[in-house]
Each structure stands twice: as C-alpha cells, then as structure tokens.
C-alpha cells in the first residue's frame, strides 16, 4: 500500500493553485520517518533552534527563522532537499488549476455539467480551485497505481489541515470523474452502478498537522516551487531583480523532475476523453508537459 502526503501552494495573486503529493510504500514507513527526522536535523544546524516545520516561503525568501541565513546558503539547502528526495526514489505527483482558464471553460456546455458538483463550490457558489485540484490529484493517484497486483496499488491520502470538505468530495466523487482513469465500456459499467468511491483509495482521506508530519512540508516544498515557476514563466509575477530568479527556479524544477511521474498521468496530450480534456483545459500552460520540457532543457545544457 502507498501513503500520499499532500499540500498545496498558490501563486502570489492566487490565480493558480498547485496541489502536490509525495508518495512512498507503507513498508518503508519506519525507515522514511527516520529519514525525515534526519533531514530535519540537517536543516536545524543552520538555525538557532530545532526546526519544527519547513515553511518553504520563509526558506526561499529568507524570512522569519531563516532571516539570518545568507541566500547562498539557503539556496544550497534547497538543492540538498531536492537531492535528498531524489536519492530515496519517492514519487512526486501534482495537479494544478489556473482560475482564468477555469472561468473560460465554465462557458463550455460540455464542462458546465461537470462543474455542477456541489462539493466543488464555496459558500458563495463559486468554484473552489483548491478542491478541484485536490480531486484531480486523487484521480492521478488512482490512475498511477490501479494496475498493480494485490493491494500494492492501494493508497491512503493524507492532507494538511485546511479544508475538511476535501474528505467528502474525494470519498463521494461525481460519477463523471471516474472517466479520468477508465475508458469505454469500463467507465459505462461503473457509471451504471452509481459507484462514488475510487477503488484503490482506501478509507476516507485523512488530515494531519504539518508540524508533526514533515512529509507534508515536503509536499508543500514541491507545490510552492511549481506554483512559483508557473507564475514566473507565465508573467503573472515579476522576477526578483536581485538575482536571475527565473533561471534559478527553472534549475530546481529540472532537478525535481527526476521524481515526477510522467506528464501523461496529469494531462493527456492526445485522444482525451471529456474528463481528461476538462482537466487539461484548466491546467497552466507552463506545467502541461513540464517533465518533457525539462528533459529537453537538460539535453540542451549538456551539449
């Protein structure tokens, strides 16, 4: 069975949300927890006290407890965190929603029906992009592991304490969402049974305190830099003029892609069904083929 720790991050203007997960096998749980504590100790050496949780914004920007740590050292620590995760072969999954793209597709008749799901709306009847991205991430987890034998493909989802409606939404999915990982007759059969549960997601999603679960901090770490990369790449926010921010963040994303699952797990390029097309249309342009794009950049740099 797999454990997925999940957190989210927004761009500066809250136009884009990225929800990221770090996944590992439950048989490695004890070892992984020991490794998390070792990572916490490594990071704490650069501070005047023990580190309870990693606030990625603070680490990157040099705020609060990281204020006295020079930028060069903080950036080196970010390199080390990415290397630490890559060496342990954990899988990183993510989803993202661009609210401007969502507003555009809300006018599409094919997609309007999908968005009628009440669990996606806030108290003002507006679509909550975090819930939409979290639902998509759960579908990505299901799609990734559904063909593993026995219970090896089963997954438990653990979210940061934020939005309790996520539990009900993911545990009681709208019927159309199952088309994301099923095609043709299999989807029609499931739709006819009115089944709401993802077959490989065990139990309802859980919530955990990020101060006590460092893995959620790691999920936030990836979500933060993916959201930052997107906002810089698409001109949503201006880069920091004190250094070449776009180049630096792109370098980190390149390093991170070693642990990313394939782009097609998130956004299918060709032959999309209606559900796949919906999530593709609301995804930020900068992330749709991110693993492929970064691989091509690496080839260019090493020539």
């Amino acid at each position: 069975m797999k454990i997925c720790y999940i957190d989210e991050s927004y761009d500066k203007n809250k136009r884009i949300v990225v929800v990221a997960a770090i996944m590992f096998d439950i048989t490695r749980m004890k070892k992984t927890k020991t490794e998390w504590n070792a990572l916490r100790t490594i990071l704490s050496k650069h501070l005047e006290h023990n580190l309870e949780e990693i606030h990625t914004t603070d680490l990157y920007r040099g705020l609060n407890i990281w204020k006295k740590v020079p930028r060069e050292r903080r950036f080196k620590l970010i390199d080390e965190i990415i290397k630490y995760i890559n060496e342990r072969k954990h899988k990183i999954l993510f989803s993202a929603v661009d609210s401007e793209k969502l507003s555009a597709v809300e006018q599409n008749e094919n997609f309007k029906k999908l968005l009628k799901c009440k669990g996606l709306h806030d108290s003002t009847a507006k679509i909550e992009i975090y819930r939409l991205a979290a639902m998509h991430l759960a579908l990505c987890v299901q799609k990734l592991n559904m063909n593993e034998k026995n219970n090896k493909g089963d997954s438990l989802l653990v979210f940061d304490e934020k939005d309790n409606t996520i539990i009900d939404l993911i545990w009681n999915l709208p019927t159309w969402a199952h088309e994301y990982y099923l095609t043709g007759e299999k989807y029609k059969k499931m739709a006819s049974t009115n089944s709401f549960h993802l077959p490989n997601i065990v139990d309802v999603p859980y919530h955990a305190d990020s101060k006590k679960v460092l893995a959620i901090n790691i999920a936030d770490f990836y979500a933060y830099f993916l959201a930052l990369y997107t906002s810089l790449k698409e001109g949503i926010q201006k880069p920091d003029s004190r250094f070449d921010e776009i180049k630096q963040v792109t370098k980190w994303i390149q390093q991170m892609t070693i642990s990313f699952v394939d782009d097609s797990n998130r956004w299918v390029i060709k032959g999309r069904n209606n559900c796949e097309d919906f999530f593709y249309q609301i995804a930020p342009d900068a992330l749709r083929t991110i693993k492929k794009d970064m691989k091509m950049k690496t080839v260019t740099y090493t020539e």
Side-chain angles (χ1 to χ4, degrees):
M1 191 171 81
K2 310 291 192 301
I3 306 292
C4 298
Y5 288 101
I6 304 164
D7 205 357
E8 87 290 339
S9 187
Y10 293 83
D11 72 288
K12 192 174 182 180
N13 299 325
K14 290 208 167 183
R15 169 182 151 181
I16 290 169
V17 64
V18 176
V19 178
I22 181 166
M23 173 189 291
F24 54 88
D25 197 279
I26 196 168
T27 58
R28 298 173 61 192
M29 188 77 169
K30 185 175 181 180
K31 181 180 179 182
T32 300
K33 281 191 171 184
T34 301
E35 291 174 344
W36 292 150
N37 289 331
L39 178 58
R40 195 193 304 269
T41 300
I42 291 171
L43 296 173
S44 294
K45 289 180 181 178
H46 302 276
L47 302 169
E48 295 177 352
H49 53 79
N50 290 330
L51 182 69
E52 286 192 344
E53 61 180 322
I54 304 170
H55 289 289
T56 309
T57 306
D58 293 349
L59 171 60
Y60 177 58
R61 299 293 181 190
L63 304 173
N64 298 318
I65 60 174
W66 296 101
K67 192 173 182 178
K68 296 181 180 179
V69 181
R71 182 193 301 140
E72 182 180 349
R73 187 57 196 143
R74 287 185 282 105
F75 284 11
K76 181 64 176 175
L77 288 172
I78 291 171
D79 284 332
E80 290 178 13
I81 292 171
I82 298 170
K83 183 172 181 286
Y84 196 90
I85 299 303
N86 286 342
E87 288 177 345
R88 281 148 185 81
K89 302 188 186 317
H90 297 309
K91 291 181 179 177
I92 302 296
L93 298 90
F94 62 89
S95 176
V97 174
D98 182 330
S99 60
E100 288 193 1
K101 287 181 175 290
L102 177 61
S103 295
V105 305
E106 284 185 272
Q107 308 308 313
N108 183 304
E109 290 300 324
N110 288 330
F111 299 145
K112 269 185 179 180
K113 293 180 285 187
L114 309 186
L115 293 169
K116 288 181 179 179
C117 172
K118 290 183 179 179
L120 294 173
H121 296 82
D122 63 18
S123 58
T124 66
K126 181 181 178 182
I127 299 293
E128 172 52 68
I129 60 173
Y130 166 67
R131 296 178 197 172
L132 191 55
M135 181 175 79
H136 183 209
L137 181 68
L139 293 170
C140 290
V141 172
Q142 168 64 33
K143 182 179 180 180
L144 181 67
N145 298 321
M146 62 184 292
N147 294 320
E148 292 198 31
K149 294 181 180 180
N150 301 321
N151 68 338
K152 291 183 178 179
D154 291 345
S155 301
L156 182 67
L157 308 181
V158 183
F159 288 84
D160 187 19
E161 295 175 319
K162 175 182 171 63
D163 186 344
N164 289 330
T165 62
I166 292 298
I167 293 176
D168 291 332
L169 175 62
I170 292 177
W171 193 241
N172 297 283
L173 285 174
T175 302
W176 59 263
H178 296 284
E179 191 180 17
Y180 187 80
Y181 64 94
L182 294 174
T183 57
E185 293 302 315
K186 288 184 178 180
Y187 170 66
K188 291 179 181 178
K189 184 177 180 180
M190 174 166 277
S192 68
T193 64
N194 290 320
S195 176
F196 303 115
H197 304 323
L198 291 171
N200 291 102
I201 303 299
V202 297
D203 209 347
V204 297
Y206 286 82
H207 285 103
D209 184 349
S210 59
K211 288 185 178 180
K212 299 175 182 177
V213 183
L214 188 60
I216 289 179
N217 290 187
I218 300 299
D220 170 70
F221 179 85
Y222 282 84
Y224 177 85
F225 283 112
L226 283 164
L228 177 60
Y229 171 80
T230 304
S231 64
L232 292 170
K233 187 75 173 177
E234 299 193 3
I236 297 172
Q237 75 178 65
K238 294 181 180 180
D240 192 322
S241 60
R242 294 171 295 178
F243 64 100
D244 193 339
E245 187 174 26
I246 295 179
K247 181 178 180 180
Q248 178 63 68
V249 174
T250 301
K251 173 194 164 190
W252 285 328
I253 296 296
Q254 281 182 263
Q255 295 169 350
M256 289 177 179
T257 54
I258 292 173
S259 297
F260 289 175
V261 300
D262 290 341
D263 296 322
S264 59
N265 175 258
R266 295 175 290 278
W267 299 296
V268 178
I269 300 299
K270 297 180 180 179
R272 297 186 295 271
N273 59 41
N274 196 48
C275 180
E276 291 170 328
D277 193 37
F278 169 66
F279 286 113
Y280 181 85
Q281 296 300 336
I282 63 176
D285 293 335
L287 295 181
R288 282 176 175 165
T289 54
I290 188 69
K291 185 157 185 167
K292 178 184 176 182
D293 295 343
M294 292 297 120
K295 186 176 182 180
M296 292 173 65
K297 283 181 180 293
T298 302
V299 171
T300 301
Y301 293 156
T302 55
E303 287 180 348

